[in-house]
Structure formats: structure tokens, C-alpha cells
Amino acid sequence: MIYAINSNTYRDQVNEKLQGTTRPRTSLKKLKNFLIPLPTFDEQKRIVTKTFDLFNMIG
């Protein structure tokens, strides 16, 4: 999730909705409508498989 929040796609959405000059901020209502970029389902499956493989190597 931290990678998604730090992505340019997410940050661009947030920057478009910021208000205020001294302390830029946005509302929770607006945050709930932002899109979070996710890898395709096939890529997610590859990530899970690789993660399990790595855990099996250390334990």
C-alpha cells in the first residue's frame, strides 16, 4: 500500500485536490474517491508466488 500511495499516479490526484497555501490539505471525503494503482491480477499472483518461494528459502 505504501508503494501505491507514493506512486506518481496517486500523488498527482492528491495534488490536484489540495487546498490552502500555508498548510495544503484535502478532505477525507476526497481521499476516499482517489484511485489506487494496483498491478494486474496475473502480476499479483506472480508476486504472491515469488513471496512464498522466498519465505520457503528462509524457513
Side-chain angles (χ1 to χ4, degrees):
M1 185 62 109
I2 193 72
Y3 294 110
I5 290 172
N6 284 324
S7 72
N8 288 335
T9 302
Y10 189 81
R11 285 176 177 248
D12 288 345
Q13 291 178 85
V14 172
N15 287 332
E16 287 178 13
K17 301 295 181 184
L18 288 179
Q19 296 177 334
T21 54
T22 306
R23 293 176 55 187
R25 61 200 176 281
T26 192
S27 68
L28 182 58
K29 182 178 179 180
K30 290 178 185 175
L31 283 175
K32 289 180 179 181
N33 291 314
F34 292 160
L35 300 176
I36 298 175
L38 296 174
T40 64
F41 187 65
D42 286 339
E43 181 66 16
Q44 291 179 46
K45 289 191 291 187
R46 284 192 290 273
I47 292 168
V48 169
T49 299
K50 183 65 175 179
T51 303
F52 283 144
D53 290 346
L54 293 170
F55 276 128
N56 286 331
M57 289 174 63
I58 59 175

